[in-house]
Amino acid sequence: MCVPYLLKVALKKVENEEAQKEVEMALLASSSIGIFNSIKKELYLNEIKEIIQHHHEHHNLTRIAYQSAWQFFIDRFFNDKSLEEVIVNELHFPRETAKELEVLTRCIDWKKKEEENEEKGRKETKEEVVLYRWLRMLEIISDRLKEEEKDEKEEAERKRMKMEMFEKLEEEGYEDVIPSLLIIHDIQNDKYECGLSHDIAGYFVNV
């Protein structure tokens, strides 16, 4: 129920600090709506496309807000493969991800970070937070693609086995037995009587 309201706020294009904070908070909140929450496509698709496309043209979002918009959209992809065309070809997710990661990695002083990691209570920079969010999202996607690849391989294996079985039946001359095994349903007093086709004897093979 809250998604349309969050995206309505995120669509604000007024350039002032207060409105920008509202946009940021709305997108951050939307990115926390996990993949297990089913949301109808018509409640978010046009809005999230407009938010991302507007940023492509005007760069109106901070990096954390931009990543949050993508996070919300990618999470929806987990339950709806039809979004792939929009994500890849309309909004250019691979290109945008590569660009964001390149900029973020340049913003981080990795040598200084390594030295400071040994200090207790060190806080991560904004750039580090956003970088890790992108990387986690790319990991959520990698796992999903691996699952799909596994499912496709299993389905291909099932089809191969079915084909081999059919070919074996055909080779041994049993393929004609299959249509002969007709079940005759005689419904009387809610009971079923099952039997074989009357001319099944013509299909038996003498061994």
Side-chain angles (χ1 to χ4, degrees):
M1 293 176 62
C2 65
V3 168
Y5 298 100
L6 289 173
L7 295 182
K8 183 178 180 180
V9 174
L11 278 166
K12 288 184 178 180
K13 300 179 177 65
V14 180
E15 295 183 3
N16 61 64
E17 186 176 351
E18 183 178 352
Q20 182 65 27
K21 286 182 179 179
E22 291 180 355
V23 169
E24 300 280 312
M25 293 303 296
L27 288 173
L28 280 169
S30 69
S31 69
S32 67
I33 301 174
I35 62 177
F36 298 108
N37 293 278
S38 180
I39 304 173
K40 294 181 179 179
K41 193 186 303 184
E42 56 267 24
L43 294 178
Y44 66 84
L45 182 56
N46 292 333
E47 289 80 0
I48 202 70
K49 283 173 59 177
E50 183 177 347
I51 290 168
I52 293 175
Q53 288 172 335
H54 186 76
H55 177 75
H56 289 175
E57 297 176 8
H58 304 280
H59 303 283
N60 62 307
L61 300 175
T62 62
R63 299 198 182 281
I64 186 68
Y66 184 51
Q67 190 279 332
S68 296
W70 271 114
Q71 184 72 59
F72 172 83
F73 203 15
I74 294 299
D75 285 346
R76 309 286 73 77
F77 167 67
F78 274 75
N79 296 318
D80 188 349
K81 290 184 180 180
S82 67
L83 297 173
E84 182 175 359
E85 176 68 22
V86 176
I87 289 171
V88 176
N89 295 323
E90 288 189 43
L91 300 180
H92 311 290
F93 176 72
R95 181 193 69 190
E96 292 299 306
T97 303
K99 182 174 66 176
E100 290 295 308
L101 290 176
E102 182 180 359
V103 172
L104 288 166
T105 51
R106 288 205 305 265
C107 292
I108 299 174
D109 187 337
W110 295 101
K111 184 177 181 180
K112 182 179 179 181
K113 173 178 168 55
E114 185 177 355
E115 295 173 352
E116 292 179 342
N117 275 341
E118 299 177 0
E119 299 178 10
K120 294 184 178 180
R122 178 187 177 277
K123 293 183 179 180
E124 296 176 331
T125 65
K126 291 181 179 179
E127 290 80 10
E128 290 172 3
V129 171
V130 181
L131 176 63
Y132 296 147
R133 284 170 63 97
W134 278 106
L135 292 176
R136 284 197 299 269
M137 184 169 63
L138 288 172
E139 182 183 12
I140 296 174
I141 295 177
S142 177
D143 291 343
R144 172 60 185 270
L145 293 176
K146 288 178 181 177
E147 290 177 3
E148 290 181 358
E149 183 180 6
K150 180 180 178 181
D151 291 341
E152 290 174 358
K153 287 182 178 178
E154 290 178 351
E155 180 62 23
E157 179 64 15
R158 283 194 293 270
K159 289 182 178 179
R160 184 190 65 79
M161 292 177 65
K162 286 169 64 177
M163 182 60 67
E164 285 186 0
M165 182 172 289
F166 177 80
E167 291 175 352
K168 185 66 175 178
L169 287 170
E170 188 175 35
E171 179 183 343
E172 298 295 333
Y174 288 105
E175 76 280 5
D176 289 334
V177 175
I178 298 173
S180 73
L181 300 177
L182 303 175
I183 299 177
I184 302 174
H185 295 284
D186 184 18
I187 304 176
Q188 292 180 347
N189 299 322
D190 296 327
K191 294 181 180 179
Y192 292 88
E193 294 182 1
C194 301
L196 298 176
S197 174
H198 293 294
D199 57 349
I200 190 173
Y203 293 98
F204 286 136
V205 177
N206 294 322
V207 180

